[in-house]
Amino acid sequence: MFGMEPTTRLIFPRKSLASCVRATIVRSTVEMPLASDGDRLNHYPATPHCWVTFYIEGDTDVLLPENAPQERFRAVFGGPQTRPITTYNPGPVRMLMVMFYPHALHALCGIDVAEWVDRWDDIKALGPEWQALADAVLAAPDDATRLALVDNFLEPRWQVARPGGAGAIAGDWVRHLATEVADTALGRGVRNIERRIKARAGQPMRKLLRRQRAEHTFFEAREDYLSGKAVWSDIAARGGYSDQAHFCREAREITGRTPLELARVLASSDESYWIYRVWT
């Protein structure tokens, strides 16, 4: 008999991978009947992170942005996204998503992250070892085995590839990235440092700091807006925005909605915004 609730779990990495993996998300709607199109939708915000998603069961189609590629892959690698994405599941789906700090994936694979902004493709784009990982994960019998396969694949590779110094510490990854690049490019000029940051993170430092500020503002204000007590002008001021309109523009750019609209959605039973709820 079907249950009535999907399974969604946010899993933070083991300590040895804390500066490589932002988080892992396990999601399954296999246990629930998909009664309406709303139950089949998934709204994702723009993100500075890279990601790999394994579709254990089911498929997904991209609805927005409208010009997005429509190929279906069992394991997908994607770079940073500068715009929100909406996908549609034709039926029940079971998936595992691993979110990477972009400079970590650059170190692991040598990819130029700037070339992957607003792009995704089959995981084989990362190399045959990653394809072998995908084959093992897709064939695994349960989530615990899948998570162990991913961790055991990443851990030895990250110990070799991880940068030293401040960049090897989890936490404020944007500023650590700037410190790391400045240390390795000492004496080579500001433009050289900017190019290196873009190659490792896909976007200029200015945009990364904007994304980070928005994320911090949302998280710090989550209790206010979930309880219906949000004063948006005060939240904007605490976040360092010039005014409420500035905060609204940035929120719409990342989520497709104003802060008030997003708060109302999160307070409702709209399952398509599950990824926002799992973070809050």
Side-chain angles (χ1 to χ4, degrees), residues 236-252:
R238 291 201 306 268
Y241 291 92
S242 57
D243 53 29
Q244 183 176 339
H246 182 197
F247 179 39
C248 289
R249 286 195 302 273
E250 203 149 287
R252 186 181 289 279

Side-chain angles (χ1 to χ4, degrees), residues 4 38 60 137 141 155 188 202 218:
M4 294 305 294
T60 192
V137 169
E155 191 164 37
R188 300 182 186 178
F218 290 144

Side-chain angles (χ1 to χ4, degrees), residues 144-162:
T145 305
R146 295 177 194 116
L147 290 167
L149 284 167
V150 172
D151 285 352
N152 293 338
F153 173 85
L154 291 174
E155 191 164 37
R157 290 168 173 80
W158 183 237
Q159 294 310 309
V160 173
R162 63 185 292 176

Side-chain angles (χ1 to χ4, degrees), residues 15-265:
K15 185 176 180 180
S16 58
L17 291 172
S19 56
C20 175
V21 175
R22 176 67 178 89
T24 299
I25 298 172
V26 173
R27 169 78 172 172
S28 174
T29 61
V30 173
E31 301 83 1
M32 64 176 290
L34 298 180
S36 67
D37 280 351
D39 294 330
R40 300 170 186 263
L41 293 174
N42 308 277
H43 294 286
Y44 298 98
T47 177
H49 299 102
C50 297
W51 44 276
V52 170
T53 300
F54 304 93
Y55 287 96
I56 315 302
E57 298 181 45
D59 294 305
T60 192
D61 298 317
V62 181
L63 301 184
L64 294 173
E66 294 180 350
N67 60 345
Q70 294 299 321
E71 293 92 341
R72 289 178 176 177
F73 303 113
R74 295 291 307 282
V76 188
F77 159 64
Q81 303 297 308
T82 64
R83 54 199 174 180
I85 295 174
T86 301
T87 67
Y88 177 82
N89 301 130
V93 66
R94 188 188 306 276
M95 57 181 271
L96 186 153
M97 175 188 292
V98 186
M99 300 177 66
F100 294 89
Y101 293 110
H103 63 292
L105 210 56
H106 170 82
L108 282 168
C109 304
I111 62 169
D112 185 337
V113 180
E115 295 181 358
W116 285 94
V117 173
D118 291 330
R119 286 182 57 202
W120 55 86
D121 204 341
D122 193 291
I123 196 173
K124 66 184 179 183
L126 295 178
E129 289 184 332
W130 289 80
Q131 181 63 64
L133 169 66
D135 294 340
V137 169
L138 294 170
D142 51 52
D143 288 336
T145 305
R146 295 177 194 116
L147 290 167
L149 284 167
V150 172
D151 285 352
N152 293 338
F153 173 85
L154 291 174
E155 191 164 37
R157 290 168 173 80
W158 183 237
Q159 294 310 309
V160 173
R162 63 185 292 176
I169 304 171
D172 188 347
W173 70 273
V174 175
R175 296 188 187 279
H176 289 157
L177 172 61
T179 302
E180 169 197 321
V181 171
D183 286 346
T184 58
L186 191 61
R188 300 182 186 178
V190 173
R191 289 187 180 179
N192 186 279
I193 291 174
E194 290 174 347
R195 283 195 297 270
R196 284 170 174 257
I197 288 173
K198 196 169 183 180
R200 298 184 191 196
Q203 302 176 71
M205 180 58 64
R206 174 174 49 83
K207 183 166 284 190
L208 293 173
L209 289 171
R210 284 175 55 203
R211 289 284 187 267
Q212 187 181 58
R213 174 177 63 181
E215 180 177 300
H216 287 172
T217 302
F218 290 144
F219 284 151
E220 289 176 2
R222 64 184 182 274
E223 294 300 328
D224 290 343
Y225 61 70
L226 288 176
S227 65
K229 300 177 180 178
V231 179
W232 298 109
S233 57
D234 291 347
I235 292 172
R238 291 201 306 268
Y241 291 92
S242 57
D243 53 29
Q244 183 176 339
H246 182 197
F247 179 39
C248 289
R249 286 195 302 273
E250 203 149 287
R252 186 181 289 279
E253 181 182 332
I254 295 170
T255 69
R257 291 181 175 269
T258 66
L260 178 58
E261 290 170 342
L262 186 59
R264 287 172 174 168
V265 167

